[in-house]
Amino acid sequence: MNEFAIIQRFFTPQTLSRKDVLLGTGDDAAIISPPTDQQLVITTDTLVKGVHFPINTSAADIGFKSLAVNLSDLAAMGATPAWLTLALTLPAVDETWLTDFSRDFLTLATNYHAELIGGDLTQGPLTITVQAIGLVPTGQAIQRNTAKPGDFIYVSNTPGDAAAGLAFLQKKINLSIDDQKNCVEKLNRPIPRIQLGEQLRDIASAAIDLSDGLLADLGHILEKSGVGATIHPDQIPLSNALSHLEKDQALHFALNGGDDYELCFTVPADKKNRVPKECTCIGTITDTQTLDLIFSNGKRYPVPDKGWQHFRDDHA
């Protein structure tokens, strides 16, 4: 089966057909017609076997996650998904793998009303590159460089579960059957917080999604905005799974774990009462340009090492 047959069989059939797609897959390039009152938000992520997902991850989970992490970037900027491209590098043609991958990729795309409009297919080590294009009303995109001293810092849901799931798969920790299922699910199938991002357009002063760890990603907001922060570790919401671990280990996963794809965002004091209920206040923005971790009783918590970074010299 050649590349054109693969594209025709596995990636051309879609239940979704957006009216703003004038020409989709099957030509040299796609043609779209974006609304005049919207701005385009464009993001790209690459997933590599053994780096971004364990080598034994199922094709269905890879298909889901490869798209979910891109949609999460759109969520962090308050954008609504619209169009997608997919560049897929495969070591060989495996029809069962392609069936599972494309099914869950396209199902998630349809759930968020995003249409696959093109891409590329090549042979080589398993690598998936997705480009997601979203829409946001003109001037309403949420950025990283607009946090202000006095803003409150929030995180959605419970960070750290994906890191615990990875640690379990690597046989570094033990989890109960239920906790195993929940944490591995968070690792393999993160939920892009698109609806939350849309709600935050008129609430948040800055936002980012948690791909590299809460402290590492919050650090990007602090650096871009030229501000500092005080975080209260005992206010960080923990799932049942993390609550069953030793306190220091649970906090390590929640603060530094990565792969959660929850949203971390800042909110001015006069908009605090509008923050959705699934979000928890964990600290405040300061004018110190430092990051401090202080428990509610005043005890300090050491700032851990930064989260995941490619090309770090100390990676094993």
Side-chain angles (χ1 to χ4, degrees):
M1 183 180 295
N2 63 34
E3 61 183 285
F4 303 106
I6 292 172
I7 293 169
Q8 181 65 32
R9 175 175 171 182
F10 296 103
F11 296 104
T12 299
Q14 296 182 77
T15 58
L16 176 67
S17 180
R18 293 178 59 100
K19 293 181 180 179
D20 50 24
V21 177
L22 306 183
L23 182 64
T25 58
D27 217 303
D28 288 315
I31 303 175
I32 57 177
S33 182
T36 56
D37 59 343
Q38 303 275 310
Q39 291 176 316
L40 299 182
V41 180
I42 304 170
T43 184
T44 302
D45 267 311
T46 296
L47 275 67
V48 179
K49 180 180 179 180
V51 176
H52 298 92
F53 52 87
I55 59 175
N56 59 347
T57 304
S58 72
D61 285 342
I62 296 170
F64 186 102
K65 186 171 184 176
S66 64
L67 176 54
V69 301
N70 280 270
L71 296 182
S72 182
D73 284 334
L74 296 184
M77 301 195 75
T80 301
W83 312 287
L84 310 167
T85 64
L86 168 65
L88 182 60
T89 302
L90 298 171
V93 176
D94 181 333
E95 295 187 20
T96 299
W97 192 96
L98 282 163
T99 297
D100 293 344
F101 175 92
S102 61
R103 180 193 63 236
D104 283 47
F105 182 99
L106 292 175
T107 297
L108 183 62
T110 300
N111 289 345
Y112 287 94
H113 203 63
E115 182 174 345
L116 181 64
I117 59 173
D120 192 22
L121 182 64
T122 56
Q123 186 173 18
L126 180 58
T127 307
I128 305 101
T129 298
V130 177
Q131 181 184 69
I133 306 170
L135 295 167
V136 66
T138 300
Q140 292 188 32
I142 310 169
Q143 300 176 214
R144 300 179 181 181
N145 63 347
T146 43
K148 303 294 183 184
D151 287 353
F152 291 92
I153 302 169
Y154 285 82
V155 67
S156 64
N157 298 288
T158 55
D161 296 328
L166 179 60
F168 167 75
L169 294 177
Q170 294 173 334
K171 303 186 185 303
K172 293 180 179 179
I173 63 170
N174 294 316
L175 296 172
S176 69
I177 298 298
D178 287 342
D179 290 345
Q180 292 173 27
K181 179 181 178 181
N182 292 335
C183 289
V184 173
E185 181 84 0
K186 291 285 187 69
L187 173 68
N188 289 334
R189 291 179 172 257
I191 302 301
R193 304 300 179 185
I194 295 295
Q195 184 177 11
L196 175 59
E198 293 170 341
Q199 291 177 284
L200 293 177
R201 288 173 186 162
D202 190 41
I203 301 173
S205 52
I208 192 169
D209 73 324
L210 301 183
S211 57
D212 299 324
L214 173 57
L215 293 185
D217 288 316
L218 173 60
H220 297 314
I221 291 179
L222 304 185
E223 180 182 4
K224 291 291 187 181
S225 298
V227 295
T230 297
I231 297 296
H232 303 296
D234 48 355
Q235 293 181 7
I236 295 174
L238 300 179
S239 66
N240 287 334
L242 263 64
S243 297
H244 294 155
L245 300 175
E246 293 291 332
K247 183 177 180 180
D248 284 347
Q249 190 172 50
L251 281 178
H252 172 73
F253 287 142
L255 291 169
N256 217 38
D259 245 5
D260 288 304
Y261 299 99
E262 295 295 344
L263 299 187
C264 177
F265 57 95
T266 60
V267 175
D270 61 349
K271 296 183 179 181
K272 189 177 180 182
N273 63 343
R274 297 173 56 191
V275 175
K277 293 181 179 180
E278 70 264 31
C279 304
T280 303
C281 183
I282 61 171
T284 54
I285 295 295
T286 67
D287 59 4
T288 62
Q289 297 191 3
T290 61
L291 174 60
D292 296 307
L293 303 181
I294 305 175
F295 288 96
S296 299
N297 62 7
K299 182 179 178 181
R300 288 184 173 270
Y301 186 88
V303 178
D305 189 16
K306 293 182 179 180
W308 174 263
Q309 299 175 44
H310 292 278
F311 306 112
R312 269 175 52 177
D313 293 335
D314 59 346
H315 283 327

